[in-house]
Amino acid sequence: IDLSVSWLGLSMASPLFNASGVMCRHADELDRLAASCAGAVITKSCTLEPRAGNPEPRYAALPFGSINSMGLPNEGFRYYLDYARRYDYGRGKPLFVSVSGMSADETLTILGELARLDLPCLPEVNLSCPNVPGKPQTGYDFAASAALLDAIVRIYPKTFGVKLPPYFDPVHFDMMADVLRAYPTLGFVTCINSIGNALVVDVERELALIRPKDGLGGLGGSYVLPTALANVREFARRLPDRHVVGCGGVTSGAEAFMHILCGATVVQIGTCLYEEGPGAFERIAAELSALMRSKGYRTLDAFRGRLGTP
Ligand SMILES: O=C(O)c1[nH]c(=O)[nH]c(=O)c1I
């Protein structure tokens, strides 16, 4: 069974890696991911300056997933560019750098610096952070997304990707795909970010579970799997010459299989990694491999994007 993936000039021994934000804020966490069975590594979304993020409690594990309103805590982009400079690309694990400036200008400044370094890492531009109070998700504003992408391709000449929020209407899949299609250097779209602004209630204490935004936070984990799969399949259909990175609700080999069957080239793991630790990559890869064997598939290409309709 061959779980390898070659895409965007990269090669990965496993299609699985971390979702930005999980176990990737500090260099030691990133090194731990690089030493794990993950096929790649992505950094925490970064801003121009370091940020402490939102007041705690800002994360809670739930029966079927998680809710978070971290508020973009990160070490500032220079920290991650330094990491990207020192990273050992020779070990065959691609490095992605997630960028989520507090403004379009911040994002452009960060990408301009990244372009100047001309490193092998790829940017994933986060259009979908739901947790900075007062900061709307760019991905839900199609004109703002187009304007940002227009500016990005002028200052960042190489391949990049975007992290999208979940959409819930075919008209929105159409509109966002129309925007993204216009940028030939947009090599991948990551679907999905957490489902924004959910509210989880503690009945006994009659309190929201997290403090920021009076309890509103991004939902992750098994709760979001069906929405994630729909976004993966709909964008893979609309952007057949780009890659879709699946993200959302992967806790097992079967769920990784679902994302790839829906068209994902590779798959990110968030909540499950946060709760289980990096051993999740080895377990899920083994489960995926066993499932493929039971179905007679020897490679991921044998079933990628082949979901049918009854
Ligand atoms: O609260 C966060 O830091 C956060 N949390 C998320 O669930 N998605 C995001 O893109 C971000 I930047």
Side-chain angles (χ1 to χ4, degrees):
I1 300 293
D2 176 7
L3 293 185
S4 69
V5 186
S6 289
W7 65 306
L8 299 178
L10 311 166
S11 61
M12 292 168 53
S14 164
L16 309 174
F17 63 118
N18 66 301
S20 177
V22 179
M23 209 173 281
C24 58
R25 175 176 175 181
H26 299 110
D28 62 316
E29 296 176 293
L30 291 161
D31 290 345
R32 193 172 165 215
L33 288 176
S36 76
C37 288
V41 177
I42 185 167
T43 62
K44 168 65 186 175
S45 292
C46 65
T47 48
L48 210 58
E49 302 305 328
R51 284 175 55 86
N54 289 338
E56 296 180 336
R58 62 191 190 182
Y59 175 90
L62 303 171
F64 298 101
S66 66
I67 186 167
N68 91 83
S69 187
M70 310 306 282
L72 199 39
N74 74 97
E75 305 305 306
F77 86 101
R78 289 177 187 80
Y79 178 94
Y80 301 102
L81 293 202
D82 272 352
Y83 186 85
R85 248 199 298 254
R86 287 182 281 107
Y87 187 77
D88 173 11
Y89 298 92
R91 72 186 305 165
K93 290 196 183 187
L95 177 69
F96 295 85
V97 175
S98 176
V99 178
S100 182
M102 291 301 285
S103 66
D105 279 352
E106 276 204 17
T107 294
L108 295 169
T109 300
I110 295 167
L111 289 172
E113 286 300 308
L114 198 55
R116 248 182 296 288
L117 291 177
D118 195 21
L119 295 168
C121 56
L122 279 83
E124 182 185 80
V125 179
N126 187 350
L127 302 181
S128 44
C129 178
N131 298 326
V132 176
K135 186 173 176 294
Q137 295 174 82
T138 307
Y140 286 143
D141 179 336
F142 303 113
S145 295
L148 177 60
L149 290 164
D150 285 341
I152 286 175
V153 296
R154 273 199 290 272
I155 53 106
Y156 194 82
K158 300 195 301 183
T159 299
F160 70 104
V162 291
K163 177 79 168 279
L164 298 180
Y167 299 93
F168 301 93
D169 187 309
V171 167
H172 297 154
F173 292 132
D174 290 337
M175 292 171 78
M176 194 54 178
D178 287 349
V179 168
L180 299 175
R181 198 174 292 115
Y183 306 96
T185 54
L186 181 77
F188 68 95
V189 298
T190 302
C191 299
I192 60 174
N193 208 317
S194 53
I195 296 181
N197 299 296
L199 177 60
V200 180
V201 173
D202 176 333
V203 170
E204 190 244 326
R205 297 166 66 207
E206 300 179 17
L207 294 174
L209 246 59
I210 59 173
R211 182 170 170 194
K213 295 171 63 175
D214 291 326
L216 298 184
L219 205 55
S222 297
Y223 296 114
V224 311
L225 177 67
T227 295
L229 293 176
N231 278 260
V232 166
R233 206 275 303 276
E234 294 304 307
F235 280 101
R237 273 183 167 174
R238 288 170 174 77
L239 303 169
D241 59 338
R242 315 301 168 87
H243 292 279
V244 176
V245 175
C247 184
V250 176
T251 70
S252 69
E255 289 152 352
F257 181 89
M258 293 176 199
H259 270 271
I260 296 166
L261 191 65
C262 289
T265 297
V266 291
V267 176
Q268 294 178 348
I269 300 173
T271 299
C272 177
L273 172 62
Y274 189 100
E275 295 300 322
E276 181 173 338
F281 294 119
E282 192 166 11
R283 173 180 63 81
I284 293 172
E287 290 172 0
L288 174 58
S289 193
L291 180 59
M292 288 168 65
R293 187 174 298 108
S294 74
K295 288 167 166 287
Y297 294 131
R298 289 179 35 71
T299 66
L300 301 180
D301 279 334
F303 65 95
R304 179 176 287 115
R306 302 281 182 96
L307 177 70
T309 299

